[in-house]
Amino acid sequence: MSIELKIADFALKGIQHLYGLQADPDQISVQKTRKDQSGDFTLVVFPLLRYSRRSPEETGHSLGEYLISRMPEIGKYEVVKGFLNLVMHDSWWTGFFAEIQHNENYGHVTLTSDAPHILVEFSSPNTNKPLHLGHIRNNLLGHSVSQILKAAGHRVTMVNLVNDRGIHICKSMLSWQKWGEGITPEKAHVKGDRLVGDFYVRFDQEYKKQVTKLIEQGIDEEQAAAQAPLLLEAQQMLRKWEEHDPDVLRLWEMMNEWVCRGFEETYRNLGIKFDKIYYESQTYKLGKQLVSDALEKGILYQEEDGSVWADLTDEGLDQKLLLRADGTSVYMTQDLGTAHQRYQEYSFDRHVYVVGNEQNYHFKVLGLILKKMGFPWYNRLYHLSYGMVELPEGKMKSREGKVVDADDLIQEMYYTAKEISERLGKMDTVPEEKRQVNYPRIAMGALKYYILKVDPQKTMLFNPEESIDFNGNTGPFIQYTYVRIRSVERKAKDSGIRLDEIDWSREIKPGEYEKQLIKRIHQYPGVLKEAARAFSPALIANYLYELVKEYNQFYQFETILKEQDKNKRNFRLRLSSFVARHLAEGMNLLGIEMPERM
RNA sequence: GGUCCCGUAGCUCAGCUGGAUAGAGCAGCAGCCUUCUAAGCUGCGGGUCGCAGGUUCGAAUCCUGCCGGGAUCGCCA
């Protein structure tokens, strides 16, 4: 039982004892004491006045006396207005630290055989253009949330659904056929996804020219857009693809291969892996059977033209198309199908979809239709809806080239990290190959932290003019703290200090900064739990930042290795080592690796 | 127009299921390296928490209505 719960429990007993009343547990609020007040935990007494029928001060004192007499952990108490501040004995804090100091994965819940199984789908790119900053946010979120869920004791399967078919890829294919002159990524020395993306852009340009021409000829805009020869050709190509035309299939396979190899490189740079990759070309027909079954049962209805619809008016929504008149499926049909398939496959307890908030409506409808179809697991689907990444001039638009390309950004971060490192010169004595390990870690640390520290739900702004910071509330700041501790550890080892020399039986009086650190660390299990519940890496990022700030103060004002009292010195060293390991584990949940020097 | 999300310092963001005098970073100014890595630390200035009501002992937080911004309501994905 956590100490907070224990205090709450005794507070309830105290009310019973003092006032003879059974208090509502919801009225008991135990929280961390504010920084500007002395104390460790605070019991808010205002809600308890209804039981005591005394003044806040009197009630606080009575409860304080009660608690201190029953809980040996508590050293003293103080009543300020309606707040009962409890101060724990120093030995309680050091005892807590002594207990956890050797935990390999402090705060992380070990996996049990009956742990809930969570499927996390993320990334899900289209194979017609390279990844951009928006995809980076998606990938980082998906990966980080998966790690957080694992740390919180869940079984996690990370899946990707690559959208490798459809009109968009046909546009790139057609464009390459017309203007590519047989170029390949190898010949062009360009990443495959970039090359295909360029042809996609080319298609759009040529298509727009045709549309403009048609409009000039007096055709109205809508018709022109629908009748431009290029579009008709692309549609023709899609039909051929669906009819398994060998030439089209060959071209399709080749270009998809280019793109996927390009993606793999980007994923590698981002440190992202999947347990399973699905391809839409293999899943796009799923769901039709579900729809026809539901139609037979009268859950869905059919229009005269043969199209099939779900009526969601009883849920306050509209009608939703599930099968076109020609019997082909739409996105929703596929998603119904894949959800069903995955449930058959995994019997997941939860299925998280990391998808932008522009698809809120889609996922709402997806759940409702599954509910309508009678699948009891419909409420196990969860749409982790994240906000868009915007540029100063607004939303990114890939067709207009107003995007921040993922590979470019990664490159740029690398050069910045390298440049700063070289300027500071602290790695001058480090061999080249080790530096080449550290630069990307710092670069990616900056980028990943920058994105993950903001609440997923919120739209975030990225200004390419102001490059991502390496100072302040940043990834490198946290890495730097880690690196400093590692350096102290090396020095300790060099001077023969052994870490097992702490005598815990002797009273260790933690200083202000040490105690603050232990208090912060004590909060971690709760932070992790909340991060897993809310699917929010930002909570982990903020926690780590607070911890690091406090560690740096400690580092600044206290000396570790030069401390004369050996017990104290070793305690500080142990605390530092623990913080370093804890930081590395915490950053790992954000997908960030630690450099050993920087 | 309907539905959903957002609005906190010049800028970028924290602020958990309501709790004490709303916090960081960046930018600006002023200090700190003969001492464990200065990518650090300390201090200063900067706020009608979009506006107005309501609930409450107590509201940035919950409710309602406005204002501003975004998303969505396609036989696109």
Side-chain angles (χ1 to χ4, degrees), chain A residues 259-323:
Chain A
V259 174
C260 288
R261 268 206 301 245
F263 285 171
E264 277 163 27
E265 188 180 328
T266 309
Y267 286 143
R268 207 178 317 123
N269 287 331
L270 286 172
I272 305 254
K273 278 193 184 131
F274 300 94
D275 297 309
K276 181 155 186 179
I277 299 180
Y278 293 88
Y279 295 91
E280 215 178 284
S281 53
Q282 287 154 22
T283 64
Y284 79 104
K285 286 182 177 165
L286 289 173
K288 283 190 190 183
Q289 192 59 45
L290 289 181
V291 171
S292 4
D293 289 352
L295 180 63
E296 248 171 66
K297 287 184 201 154
I299 295 166
L300 305 172
Y301 70 94
Q302 197 157 27
E303 283 287 339
E304 276 175 25
D305 65 357
S307 56
V308 181
W309 299 73
D311 181 7
L312 299 170
T313 44
D314 52 340
E315 301 276 1
L317 300 174
D318 232 338
Q319 274 79 349
K320 181 75 194 175
L321 178 104
L322 294 178
L323 284 181

Side-chain angles (χ1 to χ4, degrees), chain A residues 312-585:
Chain A
L312 299 170
T313 44
D314 52 340
E315 301 276 1
L317 300 174
D318 232 338
Q319 274 79 349
K320 181 75 194 175
L321 178 104
L322 294 178
L323 284 181
R324 298 189 184 101
D326 63 5
T328 56
S329 57
V330 293
Y331 179 47
M332 182 61 75
T333 326
Q334 297 170 36
D335 259 5
L336 290 167
T338 49
H340 179 75
Q341 185 195 45
R342 286 178 193 168
Y343 189 73
Q344 303 294 316
E345 205 173 337
Y346 296 100
S347 303
F348 52 74
D349 296 281
R350 214 93 155 80
H351 187 339
V352 179
Y353 294 88
V354 183
V355 179
N357 61 14
E358 56 203 351
Q359 291 191 36
N360 285 354
Y361 182 76
H362 172 79
F363 282 99
K364 192 176 176 184
V365 170
L366 178 66
L368 289 176
I369 294 177
L370 288 170
K371 182 184 176 188
K372 230 179 163 57
M373 288 180 163
F375 296 112
W377 46 266
Y378 77 93
N379 55 6
R380 296 187 186 185
L381 305 191
Y382 179 79
H383 176 203
L384 173 46
S385 159
Y386 63 91
M388 300 287 100
V389 181
E390 289 188 354
L391 301 175
E393 60 269 25
K395 234 189 128 177
M396 285 191 278
K397 297 195 177 93
S398 43
R399 267 175 304 197
E400 293 169 28
K402 286 202 304 196
V403 286
V404 176
D405 179 80
D407 299 314
D408 291 349
L409 183 57
I410 291 168
Q411 264 301 313
E412 202 179 301
M413 295 303 295
Y414 170 83
Y415 285 125
T416 309
K418 186 167 187 259
E419 191 264 318
I420 294 174
S421 283
E422 283 171 353
R423 179 153 39 85
L424 295 174
K426 292 181 195 175
M427 278 205 276
D428 288 354
T429 57
V430 176
E432 176 66 16
E433 70 263 24
K434 289 217 170 128
R435 274 186 269 168
Q436 289 306 337
V437 171
N438 289 334
Y439 296 149
R441 288 185 179 179
I442 299 166
M444 287 298 95
L447 175 61
K448 292 181 177 182
Y449 188 88
Y450 176 83
I451 287 172
L452 290 175
K453 77 171 174 183
V454 347
D455 182 347
Q457 192 181 290
K458 290 193 177 168
T459 303
M460 64 176 292
L461 187 94
F462 177 79
N463 189 348
E465 300 299 312
E466 305 164 12
S467 54
I468 292 175
D469 244 305
F470 286 71
N471 299 318
N473 186 1
T474 66
F477 173 67
I478 295 169
Q479 291 173 322
Y480 179 68
T481 305
Y482 171 85
V483 166
R484 274 169 143 189
I485 298 174
R486 302 292 289 157
S487 175
V488 173
E489 286 179 324
R490 279 195 297 272
K491 289 227 157 66
K493 201 178 163 198
D494 290 349
S495 45
I497 295 170
R498 288 195 14 236
L499 268 172
D500 53 8
E501 289 170 340
I502 301 175
D503 179 3
W504 294 97
S505 63
R506 260 179 63 196
E507 176 81 7
I508 294 172
K509 175 131 181 67
E512 192 64 21
Y513 299 106
E514 284 120 308
K515 199 169 141 185
Q516 190 55 46
L517 278 171
I518 297 174
K519 277 164 74 168
R520 180 66 62 186
I521 292 163
H522 180 257
Q523 290 183 293
Y524 180 67
V527 172
L528 175 62
K529 198 174 163 193
E530 179 59 19
R533 192 199 62 78
F535 303 102
S536 176
L539 298 179
I540 301 290
N542 285 329
Y543 165 83
L544 294 174
Y545 176 62
E546 294 298 327
L547 177 64
V548 160
K549 261 204 305 190
E550 282 156 359
Y551 184 83
N552 282 338
Q553 286 172 8
F554 161 74
Y555 183 91
Q556 188 76 19
F557 291 110
E558 306 281 6
T559 121
I560 302 168
L561 298 179
K562 294 206 168 70
E563 170 59 43
Q564 292 305 304
D565 180 335
K566 264 178 76 178
N567 214 35
K568 200 176 258 184
R569 178 196 68 190
N570 292 353
F571 169 67
R572 287 179 183 164
L573 189 51
R574 178 69 58 79
L575 183 57
S576 298
S577 287
F578 181 87
V579 168
R581 200 171 64 230
H582 182 41
L583 285 176
E585 281 159 15

Side-chain angles (χ1 to χ4, degrees), chain A residues 85-362:
Chain A
N85 295 329
L86 304 169
V87 182
M88 312 307 280
H89 281 294
D90 285 346
S91 60
W92 186 78
W93 288 112
T94 50
F96 163 72
F97 179 66
E99 234 171 76
I100 60 153
Q101 58 175 327
H102 295 302
N103 289 11
E104 273 304 317
N105 287 291
Y106 164 65
H108 294 192
V109 181
T110 39
L111 191 66
T112 56
S113 55
D114 60 341
H117 189 180
I118 305 189
L119 218 55
V120 182
E121 180 191 295
F122 62 101
S123 200
S124 309
N126 290 347
T127 55
N128 63 328
K129 49 182 182 278
L131 305 180
H132 58 67
L133 186 51
H135 296 112
I136 291 187
R137 190 177 194 188
N138 180 301
N139 284 311
L140 298 183
L141 269 174
H143 180 261
S144 178
V145 163
S146 299
Q147 303 315 305
I148 289 168
L149 291 171
K150 277 185 201 170
H154 301 97
R155 218 147 20 109
V156 175
T157 303
M158 296 180 280
V159 305
N160 188 0
L161 176 59
V162 178
N163 183 4
D164 59 346
R165 56 138 243 137
I167 191 73
H168 47 82
I169 179 72
C170 288
K171 288 176 181 175
S172 295
M173 285 155 62
L174 187 65
S175 174
W176 181 85
Q177 242 178 8
K178 284 190 179 302
W179 306 292
E181 294 169 0
I183 191 106
T184 64
E186 288 75 22
K187 281 189 212 161
H189 300 291
V190 167
K191 267 181 88 217
D193 50 338
R194 175 72 70 94
L195 186 72
V196 172
D198 289 345
F199 281 107
Y200 184 72
V201 171
R202 176 74 186 271
F203 175 93
D204 199 57
Q205 290 165 347
E206 300 287 344
Y207 166 72
K208 276 190 177 138
K209 274 190 224 164
Q210 288 188 344
V211 172
T212 314
K213 219 168 159 186
L214 287 173
I215 292 173
E216 279 166 7
Q217 289 167 7
I219 297 173
D220 81 72
E221 205 180 321
E222 205 172 309
Q223 277 215 321
Q227 286 179 359
L230 270 174
L231 183 65
L232 296 180
E233 270 189 87
Q235 285 166 345
Q236 173 62 20
M237 194 177 241
L238 181 61
R239 273 192 294 275
K240 281 188 175 171
W241 182 88
E242 289 185 355
E243 288 157 10
H244 309 290
D245 179 288
D247 290 335
V248 172
L249 278 184
R250 209 171 303 124
L251 177 60
W252 173 77
E253 271 167 17
M254 179 178 78
M255 288 182 74
N256 265 325
E257 175 68 24
W258 294 350
V259 174
C260 288
R261 268 206 301 245
F263 285 171
E264 277 163 27
E265 188 180 328
T266 309
Y267 286 143
R268 207 178 317 123
N269 287 331
L270 286 172
I272 305 254
K273 278 193 184 131
F274 300 94
D275 297 309
K276 181 155 186 179
I277 299 180
Y278 293 88
Y279 295 91
E280 215 178 284
S281 53
Q282 287 154 22
T283 64
Y284 79 104
K285 286 182 177 165
L286 289 173
K288 283 190 190 183
Q289 192 59 45
L290 289 181
V291 171
S292 4
D293 289 352
L295 180 63
E296 248 171 66
K297 287 184 201 154
I299 295 166
L300 305 172
Y301 70 94
Q302 197 157 27
E303 283 287 339
E304 276 175 25
D305 65 357
S307 56
V308 181
W309 299 73
D311 181 7
L312 299 170
T313 44
D314 52 340
E315 301 276 1
L317 300 174
D318 232 338
Q319 274 79 349
K320 181 75 194 175
L321 178 104
L322 294 178
L323 284 181
R324 298 189 184 101
D326 63 5
T328 56
S329 57
V330 293
Y331 179 47
M332 182 61 75
T333 326
Q334 297 170 36
D335 259 5
L336 290 167
T338 49
H340 179 75
Q341 185 195 45
R342 286 178 193 168
Y343 189 73
Q344 303 294 316
E345 205 173 337
Y346 296 100
S347 303
F348 52 74
D349 296 281
R350 214 93 155 80
H351 187 339
V352 179
Y353 294 88
V354 183
V355 179
N357 61 14
E358 56 203 351
Q359 291 191 36
N360 285 354
Y361 182 76
H362 172 79

